[in-house]
Amino acid sequence: MESSNTIIIKGLYKRFPVGKGEFTALSDINLNFAQGEFTGLIGPSGSGKTTLLNILGSLDVPSEGEALVLGNSIGKLTTHEAANLRKVSLGFIFQSYNLLAVHTVYENVEFPLLLLKLSATERHKMVMDALEWVGLTDKIKSKPPQLSGGQCQRVAIARAMVKKPSLVLADEPTANLDAANSHHILKTMETLNRELKTTFVFATHDDKVISYLRRKVYLLDGRIDKVEVIHPNS
Amino acid sequence: MIKFLIKGLLRDKSRSRLPIIVVSLGVMLTVFMHAYITGFMGDTFEMNAKFSTGHVKVMTRAYAENSSQLPNDLALIESGKLLANLRLNHPYMEWTPRIQFGGLIDAPDSTGETRSQGPAIGLGIDLLSGNTGEAERLNLTSSLVQGRLPIKKGEALLSDDFARKLNVIPGDEVTLIGSTMNGSMSMHNFTVAGTVKFGTEIMDRGSVIADIEDVRAALDMEDASGEILGFEKKGFYENKKAENMSAVFNSTSSNADDEYSPIMKSLSQQGNMGQYVQMSELWAAYISLIFIFAMSLVLWNAGLLGGLRRYGEVGIRLAIGEEKGHIFRSMIVESFFIGLAGSVLGTAIGLFFAWLVQTYGIDISGMMKGASMMMPTAIRARITTPDFYIGFIPGVISTVFGTMLSGIGIYRRQTATLFKELEA
């Protein structure tokens, strides 16, 4: 059962030093994410969802317990191994796109592949595929400042998906978008999740995002409050 | 990846054009200031060397002790032999005999009575033999205001201000009233061949220049010279070299017990020139260092700001999986090329301006009125070898150092805060 899970979290705690004491951001988290899930960590600000996303993205380590991501124990990874995990297997989507403004759409999407040292031919095919998934093949020469917010976020999705990662982590991906663009983005991600079997984990408190999730993990004060699974027919 | 970084560099003007302009300006100022200070300090040495001290000077020990009084009774005798020896033993120097003297120049009227009179500082130099380059050394041709240079015995040049004061023009006769080497009174007639203006207050006030053979005849100094001056053939004074040469000469050719034996003194060992050499070398070094340091701070900050400005870009590259070391190295390489491009450009521009000031000079004659020290009336830069590389110190090293400092932030950066930092 565990082998088919992309993420396995056991008894995870995350504590931050505050003054002379400690602040517990995550407490006794036990959670599994199967491959191809479309899941969200939901909760108000300070509930611990971004902290958990950081740990799953190998950007931070647990204080106690274990987080296994694609078979890698996050707490035991060296800086080099953590960077390599992000480079090869993880994709990130940020609230504010974070595209490189002086580079074209094509170059922004190509960047993660440059780190993987793929050939130019391979890169070209993969970039064009990714841009086709998000419907931006006609914008390859445009630069981010020439695009709308929705288009920028679609470029960010293409950049996260271009290397076909096993896991995509998205932090409030629709926070800067209007309703129409939000739905467009979410549908794009939903389609990619279905077609490529990529696991998506969101950190959100946006109702529009929540409505697309097939599993909802509610966090409150660093603990799992409840988990809701939405059946396909519901 | 390199192509990607180059594209980013070329397109982002604030990452390429602006830093290159800042580096160029800093480097240009550094190069120009260094050439300017070198030129200014060097000009003053050379001016004194050409007119008075030489790069080294040989005199009798007694003359050296009283040189401010121009004691020609203590001059070198049989100076031709000594001159030949110096030329033989130090072929990399140009040696020339001179006689400095004081006297009164008397301008008579048509009846032979004194029309005007004035005290003069005289200089007997080798003008007519044509093999010591004295006319060129003292820049006589371009200093001519009226007339021409002496071409035959019995002719002399007067400083133009002095000639005006005496109301004489080329072709007029003047009489030098002085004292011979033996202390008796001497009167010798000269024809004014021309008037000169050196642009040096002390020389322009009242001087007479004549061929050394005429002066020898006037002052009864046959085969004698007040002093023999040596000049580096390459044209620039080198203090250490000159001091070493003097020390060797004095240990082999000078007798401390004989006040008439020759002694060699470097420029820095004459009068208060030593202090001046020391002070100017120190000041030149201080000013250059201060300027290099200031420019280094500016360019270091430019590098630092450049690094900090790319905080967001670095964050996203870290999140995507690029390693800290790789990002750091790529930023260093980038700043190295920015520094290099700016330094090459800045050095070229700095050298161009230095060349302009070297060629045309900046006229400061207005400020030199009444100066008792021999100072040039035009400031000229001098381009020397260090000018070709000195700008690279602030240009490349400081820019890279600034980027390295800002790059430390990359290593200190907590990836755990990236999501927060990369939010709007």
Side-chain angles (χ1 to χ4, degrees), chain B residues 209-406:
Chain B
I209 297 172
D211 181 63
I212 192 164
E213 291 303 332
D214 279 336
V215 176
R216 279 174 179 151
L219 305 181
D220 203 10
M221 291 178 71
E222 195 184 344
D223 197 22
S225 302
E227 46 204 41
I228 296 172
L229 270 60
F231 295 91
E232 276 275 0
K233 277 185 178 165
K234 60 182 174 187
F236 300 120
Y237 175 66
E238 287 179 63
N239 192 37
K240 272 212 171 104
K241 195 174 166 186
E243 283 185 347
N244 287 342
M245 189 198 300
S246 302
V248 171
F249 178 89
N250 296 336
S251 66
T252 55
S253 309
S254 186
N255 178 2
D257 298 328
D258 178 3
E259 62 176 357
Y260 291 102
S261 79
I263 184 170
M264 187 185 283
K265 290 202 170 195
S266 68
L267 176 145
S268 63
Q269 291 164 337
Q270 297 176 52
N272 56 2
M273 288 302 287
Q275 275 176 311
Y276 184 69
V277 168
Q278 216 173 17
M279 190 185 75
S280 61
E281 278 177 353
L282 209 64
W283 273 106
Y286 279 157
I287 294 169
S288 296
L289 273 176
I290 288 168
F291 207 76
I292 289 170
F293 181 68
M295 275 300 117
S296 296
L297 284 182
V298 169
L299 298 179
W300 166 12
N301 270 297
L304 198 64
L305 287 174
L308 294 176
R309 206 182 55 77
R310 295 170 66 190
Y311 198 72
E313 180 201 327
V314 170
I316 192 69
R317 286 167 69 175
L318 283 173
I320 285 175
E322 192 172 355
E323 290 199 46
K324 289 177 174 178
H326 189 265
I327 298 173
F328 185 68
R329 282 192 298 275
S330 75
M331 285 176 75
I332 296 298
V333 170
E334 218 175 86
S335 69
F336 173 78
F337 283 107
I338 292 286
L340 193 66
S343 298
V344 170
L345 194 66
T347 300
I349 301 170
L351 285 173
F352 172 71
F353 283 117
W355 175 80
L356 285 180
V357 178
Q358 179 175 277
T359 308
Y360 301 106
I362 299 169
D363 185 8
I364 55 159
S365 54
M367 290 187 270
M368 288 294 123
K369 285 213 186 309
S372 57
M373 191 176 177
M374 206 173 274
M375 297 275 284
T377 51
I379 293 179
R380 289 176 195 279
R382 188 201 291 165
I383 297 171
T384 52
T385 312
D387 295 321
F388 289 87
Y389 60 78
I390 201 163
F392 287 76
I393 297 170
V396 177
I397 298 176
S398 301
T399 308
V400 170
F401 190 61
T403 308
M404 284 169 84
L405 274 184
S406 70

Side-chain angles (χ1 to χ4, degrees), chain A residues 14-159:
Chain A
K14 181 67 190 177
R15 300 183 190 96
F16 295 105
V18 178
K20 286 179 182 173
E22 273 184 339
F23 167 72
T24 304
L26 292 171
S27 188
D28 195 24
I29 305 290
N30 292 286
L31 210 53
N32 292 348
F33 293 87
Q35 190 187 343
E37 274 205 43
F38 203 72
T39 304
L41 305 171
I42 301 162
S45 293
S47 59
K49 53 189 190 300
T50 301
T51 305
L52 186 52
L53 213 61
N54 275 334
I55 293 170
L56 300 182
S58 72
L59 297 169
D60 204 354
V61 290
S63 305
E64 194 184 320
E66 192 174 37
L68 278 171
V69 176
L70 302 166
N72 298 282
S73 177
I74 296 298
K76 292 174 186 164
L77 294 179
T78 61
T79 315
H80 172 74
E81 288 166 340
N84 199 51
L85 176 65
R86 294 197 297 276
K87 185 166 72 181
V88 176
S89 309
L90 305 185
F92 290 91
I93 299 169
F94 303 94
Q95 177 181 319
S96 48
Y97 332 132
N98 285 295
L99 301 176
L100 303 173
V102 293
H103 289 281
T104 63
V105 164
Y106 183 95
E107 288 159 358
N108 266 283
V109 178
E110 188 190 26
F111 182 65
L113 303 178
L114 293 172
L115 298 177
L116 294 173
K117 296 189 168 72
L118 299 176
S119 71
T121 320
E122 280 178 290
R123 292 200 308 266
H124 180 74
K125 188 184 177 313
M126 291 168 84
V127 171
M128 292 313 290
D129 284 349
L131 288 172
E132 203 173 312
W133 297 334
V134 297
L136 283 175
T137 47
D138 58 331
K139 298 282 182 192
I140 57 171
K141 288 184 179 167
S142 301
K143 288 181 184 158
Q146 299 166 318
L147 303 176
S148 68
Q151 286 172 326
C152 282
Q153 195 59 300
R154 277 151 67 196
V155 177
I157 292 169
R159 181 177 65 187

Side-chain angles (χ1 to χ4, degrees), chain A residues 155-166:
Chain A
V155 177
I157 292 169
R159 181 177 65 187
M161 293 300 298
V162 69
K163 60 192 174 191
K164 294 183 183 165
S166 305

